[in-house]
């Protein structure tokens, strides 16, 4: 079942690769709270935001997740058996409107 966890991995967007940290903080019946950080190659935190997301159970260990910060929408698949989240990011506000990327992270 779902529990708070930290996921770390890579996010590719704007033609660059970033380190990505996603903290899932708490769950209710159909949504969750999160915070996340996007870190550039020099180790500088470019983005540090938090918010709410929603999830749906797709299969035994498979959940679809969707969450938003102030600029982007993240959609992905959480696989509890592999402890990974793989998904896409699309810029919904801000200067890179319409830009798409992807992220791939593993739980700790």
């Amino acid at each position: 079942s779902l529990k708070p966890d930290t996921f770390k991995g890579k996010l590719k967007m704007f033609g660059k690769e970033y380190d990505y940290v996603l903290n899932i903080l708490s769950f209710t019946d159909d949504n969750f709270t999160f915070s996340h950080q996007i870190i550039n190659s020099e180790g500088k935190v470019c983005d540090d935001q938090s918010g709410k997301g929603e999830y749906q159970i797709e299969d035994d260990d498979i959940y679809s997740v969707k969450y938003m910060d102030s600029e982007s929408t993240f959609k992905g698949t959480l696989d509890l058996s592999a402890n990974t989240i793989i998904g896409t990011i699309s810029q919904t506000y801000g200067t890179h409107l319409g830009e798409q990327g992807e992220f791939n992270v593993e739980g700790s």
Side-chain angles (χ1 to χ4, degrees):
S1 69
L2 293 171
K3 62 188 188 327
D5 199 357
T6 297
F7 292 84
K8 294 180 180 178
K10 297 294 180 187
L11 183 148
K12 295 185 180 115
M13 199 171 187
F14 318 131
K16 294 181 178 165
E17 186 174 84
Y18 299 87
D19 286 323
Y20 182 55
V21 180
L22 171 63
N23 301 295
I24 295 184
L25 304 172
S26 64
F27 286 98
T28 64
D29 285 346
D30 54 3
N31 60 46
F32 60 91
T33 57
F34 74 91
S35 66
H36 64 176
Q37 293 82 39
I38 298 171
I39 301 152
N40 70 13
S41 56
E42 290 91 57
K44 177 176 175 280
V45 175
C46 314
D47 204 5
D48 185 351
Q49 298 193 51
S50 57
K52 263 188 168 28
E54 53 195 41
Y55 69 89
Q56 289 182 312
I57 301 170
E58 302 293 333
D59 207 343
D60 285 347
D61 279 338
I62 308 291
Y63 295 76
S64 62
V65 294
K66 177 183 174 184
Y67 58 100
M68 298 165 85
D69 65 19
S70 63
E71 293 180 342
S72 306
T73 300
F74 294 74
K75 293 180 183 169
T77 301
L78 166 59
D79 182 338
L80 288 180
S81 59
N83 206 23
T84 57
I85 304 177
I86 297 170
T88 59
I89 170 176
S90 54
Q91 197 78 356
T92 39
Y93 303 100
T95 51
H96 296 274
L97 195 63
E99 178 99 21
Q100 301 247 334
E102 60 190 36
F103 63 102
N104 191 331
V105 291
E106 290 189 15
S108 56

